[in-house]
Amino acid sequence: MPHIVVEASPPLLAAIDWPRTLRTLHRALADSGSAALGDLKSRVQPIVAELCGDEPGAQQLIATLVLTNPRASEVSQRMADTTFTVLSRAVEALSPGQWVQCCVFLREHPKANYWKQQWSPPSKPHHP
């Protein structure tokens, strides 16, 4: 179950088309064969307070890619790289005129450390 948790500075939170960006990210990961489209979960959270160095106007876009299924290291790296590329392009499209940092953390967790329960899941994969 790949989970992608994105933390974004308020200006980035407001400026990026998140539904389109996350859909692009999910499709890129699925098209590469790295993950099944229906297994991908993403969410975007606002950064309430932040500081980069000593620059109060700096902005951050930080993604944490959490993987619970074992994958070859090159597959995990490709997934992190794809996540970084899609998010970096979303920021670049804004032509930011100030310091913006985009980072991706890759976290791999053993399946044994993951609990899940679902109610009324889709009966078949949804492909809009």
Side-chain angles (χ1 to χ4, degrees), residues 26-43:
H26 284 202
R27 291 217 183 272
L29 291 167
D31 290 349
S32 73
S34 301
L37 187 59
D39 288 345
L40 292 159
K41 312 280 187 292
S42 293
R43 53 200 167 273

Side-chain angles (χ1 to χ4, degrees), residues 18-33:
W18 288 107
R20 189 183 95 231
T21 300
L22 296 178
R23 186 169 284 116
T24 298
L25 176 56
H26 284 202
R27 291 217 183 272
L29 291 167
D31 290 349
S32 73

Side-chain angles (χ1 to χ4, degrees), residues 50-64:
E50 64 185 334
L51 182 62
C52 296
D54 196 24
E55 298 292 327
Q59 298 174 42
Q60 301 176 60
L61 184 65
I62 303 164
T64 302

Side-chain angles (χ1 to χ4, degrees), residues 10-91:
L12 297 173
L13 190 66
I16 292 174
D17 180 349
W18 288 107
R20 189 183 95 231
T21 300
L22 296 178
R23 186 169 284 116
T24 298
L25 176 56
H26 284 202
R27 291 217 183 272
L29 291 167
D31 290 349
S32 73
S34 301
L37 187 59
D39 288 345
L40 292 159
K41 312 280 187 292
S42 293
R43 53 200 167 273
V44 180
Q45 301 172 337
I47 296 173
V48 176
E50 64 185 334
L51 182 62
C52 296
D54 196 24
E55 298 292 327
Q59 298 174 42
Q60 301 176 60
L61 184 65
I62 303 164
T64 302
L65 171 61
V66 181
L67 303 176
T68 58
N69 289 331
R71 290 174 166 80
S73 63
E74 54 273 359
V75 173
S76 297
Q77 293 294 322
R78 182 173 63 235
M79 292 177 76
D81 185 58
T82 299
T83 302
F84 180 76
T85 299
V86 170
L87 295 178
S88 292
R89 286 180 182 158
V91 172

